[in-house]
Amino acid sequence: MTEKQGPVGVHHTRVEWVDTDAAGIYHNTAVVRFVESAEAALMRERGLHDYFPKAPRVRYEVEFEAPLRFGQEVTAVVELTRIGASSMTFSFEVWGEEFEGRPRTRAAHGSYVTVHVADSHRRSSRWPGSWRAALTT
């Protein structure tokens, strides 16, 4: 994600004890939380406060590259890379900031797809025009 094309959300946090195993290294599931927080920042910035209940994930792919440690600062970056009729594709990176003499390192990267569901039957439907406008301008 060196050259950003679509809208971007960023979340800064720290690896907490609850995010780690007994050795103080992050659980893989923490990446999903960090990424979803960056996605939430993006949607808040665009005024899409009702996005999450209507946009479940249908595909998630991640490559883990380096450990994150208890107390380490983390930056998660999410970019909307494609918006289709009823689905959106995002790419992401999770970075461990410089920590205890170790340089800033990319800990994970990947992509995921969400779909829009507007009815109680949980069938996919077209993204609202106002949402598309908020994410493409």
Side-chain angles (χ1 to χ4, degrees):
M1 285 180 23
T2 54
E3 207 176 298
K4 307 291 185 258
Q5 301 280 321
V8 172
V10 178
H11 176 68
H12 299 282
T13 191
R14 184 178 303 277
V15 177
E16 298 296 343
W17 187 250
V18 69
D19 300 320
T20 69
D21 60 17
I25 297 174
Y26 78 116
H27 295 291
N28 293 346
T29 57
V31 165
V32 175
R33 248 182 344 93
F34 300 153
V35 169
E36 285 185 352
S37 293
E39 182 183 2
L42 169 63
M43 296 307 166
R44 261 192 311 276
E45 290 168 7
R46 299 296 174 126
L48 301 177
H49 303 288
D50 58 344
Y51 166 80
F52 277 99
K54 298 177 181 174
R57 280 103 192 90
V58 295
R59 180 176 174 269
Y60 207 97
E61 184 175 312
V62 60
E63 290 188 39
F64 299 98
E65 298 179 296
L68 297 171
R69 292 174 169 77
F70 173 63
Q72 187 172 11
E73 292 182 6
V74 174
T75 302
V77 181
V78 170
E79 180 184 3
L80 175 60
T81 57
R82 181 185 170 280
I83 184 165
S86 63
S87 67
M88 283 193 254
T89 303
F90 296 84
S91 61
F92 66 86
E93 293 181 336
V94 176
W95 289 83
E97 301 302 337
E98 184 178 334
F99 186 69
E100 296 179 345
R102 296 178 186 97
R104 183 177 199 254
T105 303
R106 188 168 75 173
H109 72 280
S111 65
Y112 60 97
V113 177
T114 64
V115 297
H116 181 249
V117 291
D119 63 23
S120 60
H121 299 293
R122 306 296 287 175
R123 287 177 283 198
S124 65
S125 58
R126 296 183 74 75
W127 293 109
S130 60
W131 290 23
R132 292 180 74 82
L135 291 167
T136 58
T137 57

